[in-house]
Amino acid sequence: MTAPKVPSSVLRASRAEAVNAPFEVVQGTIPSDLSGHLFFVAPVGTVASGGLPYPNPTTVMNGDGMVVRVDFTDGQATLTSRIVQTWDQRADVLTNDAEHLKLFRFQAGGIARLGLLGARDFANTAFQPFAAENEPARMLVTYDAGRPWEIDTQSLRAITPLGLRREWVPSALNILPFPLILSPAHPAYDPKTSELVTINYVRSFASILGIGQSAAHLGLLPKPLLEELELLLLGSADVASATAAARAVRDEPLGQAILNHIESLLAPMLAESAADSCRAMQWDGRGELKTTSLMLANGDPVVIKQSVHQIALTENHLILLDTGFKLGIAQLFNDPMPNDRRLDAFIRELLDKPQMDQTILYIVPRSALGKGVPAIAQQVIIPIEADHFLADYDDRDGTITVHVAHAPATDLAEWWRPYDKQFYTKEEGSYAAGFLSVGAMDVGRLGRYKIDAATGTVTDSKVLADDEKLWAISLYAGRHL
């Protein structure tokens, strides 16, 4: 059976910047009365790779953001582009170019890029336009593991991160210059109140590693021990057998004994890491952020189990989505044994786990924010995972309406490895190495849910799905998106 391949163009990118480069019209004409600007952003590799594709494949999301602006005027179109030069991006370039600083170079760590200086904030995922009251529009460029950065919409140069370092609580690497900070790639802006709202949540080191889960620490083992494990546990010549061996050893006494020992070694580090928490952060475009801790009615903190990729604002409420995009140790390493695909496959099988098969929303009254005390959040659970949603602004009757783009059997925290095989042809997927796992493995669904804001009860739901026509993930379109 012949199956379509991922176009190779989606895995290629140049880091060359452009200024007012003219478009060549290949068909038709550009309307003379068309004016304005089109912005988009995408990852383009790192200074170490010189662009995409990567020589040693990791996920394409592990790369600097390139902001592109297309300008339309008088029947002409021109393009200007610039890499978002965050402070850690400049440090990445400096340490890569200077031989005497090679100890401080960043290295690809799966979905992250890490080093002795900390973690990279790639600023490569989305934009958030906003404006302070009675002031011109401004622009943030965002990333799921870093502070949003404001850019100059004319020069496209990076200006400053959102908020001061001390206003954010890192999930890890707090003592380093560039700690790991988690925030949504899609914050929310209310043009009616000129208020920008985002989230600063903490996945503790124990939570990210998956303490107590089978084989959660094998990715941290030193190379000699990995080699011994390979001889002991694999003893086979192919990736499929290594994967099967990983499944078989998950609950074996030997495996558990190894994990318990590693956990005891990590205990001091875990004790010093920040606890799981979640805070709303409000900004009016000037001065410091207003932060509010979020708690459940029983007094427990709101704990994000996977990640927060998007939030939304209604007239009276803030809504958070615990996204179907998991963040764990399996996403923080990339081919620890690049010359042995069997061991890489073995480790990935041990470390990996499925994402949650449900959507978890948290609803917080906006009137409770910025009061100097924790705000109470209502938890809402809806079947089937999701990555994106919309919320109707009008909730004056106490009913919140959300439109959820479900993403069943799709996990953007996974990416193709060179040893993965095409399901139909059994061909190794090296041609698509680094691409996100977004294949059509289930029927897509769009759901509309009405929720009682006071109780978190779903009072009405309608889900659109079609077994023949709507396979793959669901996305949406809307005003200002």
Side-chain angles (χ1 to χ4, degrees), residues 150-186:
E150 184 173 356
I151 61 171
D152 184 305
T153 56
Q154 296 297 316
S155 68
L156 303 186
R157 294 185 183 278
I159 301 174
T160 181
L162 174 61
L164 301 174
R165 160 79 180 271
R166 60 177 170 78
E167 295 181 274
W168 295 81
V169 179
S171 276
L173 313 178
N174 191 28
I175 64 173
L176 300 182
F178 308 115
L180 176 64
I181 293 173
L182 300 178
S183 67
H186 301 282

Side-chain angles (χ1 to χ4, degrees), residues 114-131:
L114 307 166
L116 293 180
L117 295 177
R120 286 293 319 278
D121 177 355
F122 283 126
N124 67 14
T125 307
F127 295 111
Q128 179 58 66
F130 73 101

Side-chain angles (χ1 to χ4, degrees), residues 220-474:
L220 301 177
L221 294 178
K223 184 176 178 179
L225 184 52
L226 285 173
E227 293 172 344
E228 291 299 319
L229 280 175
E230 178 183 22
L231 294 174
L232 178 65
L233 300 174
L234 299 185
S236 59
D238 57 54
V239 169
S241 298
T243 302
R247 295 193 187 105
V249 80
R250 277 196 183 111
D251 298 318
E252 289 294 321
L254 173 62
Q256 290 301 310
I258 293 172
L259 297 178
N260 291 338
H261 177 63
I262 296 173
E263 185 169 330
S264 68
L265 295 177
L266 290 172
M269 187 186 308
L270 298 175
E272 296 176 3
S273 68
D276 293 272
S277 64
C278 187
R279 305 187 305 158
M281 309 181 79
Q282 302 164 275
W283 195 45
D284 62 2
R286 312 180 185 92
E288 296 191 357
L289 304 172
K290 295 180 180 178
T291 61
T292 305
S293 297
L294 304 183
M295 303 184 70
L296 301 176
N298 64 5
D300 291 339
V302 168
V303 174
I304 302 303
K305 295 183 178 181
Q306 296 188 143
S307 63
V308 178
H309 180 64
Q310 183 187 8
I311 66 175
L313 290 173
T314 66
E315 186 170 9
N316 297 295
H317 293 89
L318 164 66
I319 307 171
L320 286 66
L321 169 65
D322 197 333
T323 310
F325 180 102
K326 60 183 185 285
L327 175 63
I329 186 62
Q331 285 71 51
L332 296 177
F333 80 93
N334 186 68
D335 299 338
M337 300 290 287
N339 297 320
D340 193 331
R341 292 183 174 183
R342 294 181 310 154
L343 191 54
D344 283 341
F346 179 82
I347 293 174
R348 183 176 66 166
E349 184 66 28
L350 281 172
L351 297 180
D352 202 15
K353 61 181 180 179
Q355 64 194 64
M356 295 187 301
D357 60 356
Q358 59 189 8
T359 291
I360 300 179
L361 299 173
Y362 292 97
I363 298 175
V364 185
R366 291 176 65 175
S367 60
L369 301 177
K371 304 297 184 184
V373 296
I376 303 300
Q378 289 286 353
Q379 186 186 71
V380 182
I381 299 178
I382 299 169
I384 307 174
E385 59 269 37
D387 293 338
H388 299 94
F389 73 105
L390 299 176
D392 289 356
Y393 188 76
D394 187 356
D395 64 349
R396 285 170 291 181
D397 62 354
T399 298
I400 293 175
T401 302
V402 293
H403 308 269
V404 178
H406 289 292
T410 299
D411 191 350
L412 299 182
E414 299 285 353
W415 62 94
W416 289 25
R417 310 297 173 93
Y419 50 77
D420 288 333
K421 291 186 177 181
Q422 235 277 5
F423 177 82
Y424 296 102
T425 66
K426 309 306 179 185
E427 177 186 1
E428 283 195 350
S430 57
Y431 65 87
F435 193 61
L436 305 177
S437 298
V438 291
M441 300 300 293
D442 199 351
V443 179
R445 298 162 177 85
L446 285 168
R448 187 195 70 194
Y449 305 92
K450 292 185 178 295
I451 303 167
D452 185 318
T455 64
T457 303
V458 177
T459 59
D460 181 68
S461 65
K462 294 185 182 299
V463 179
L464 173 65
D466 188 303
D467 288 356
E468 295 183 356
K469 301 176 182 177
L470 297 180
W471 279 75
I473 61 174
S474 298

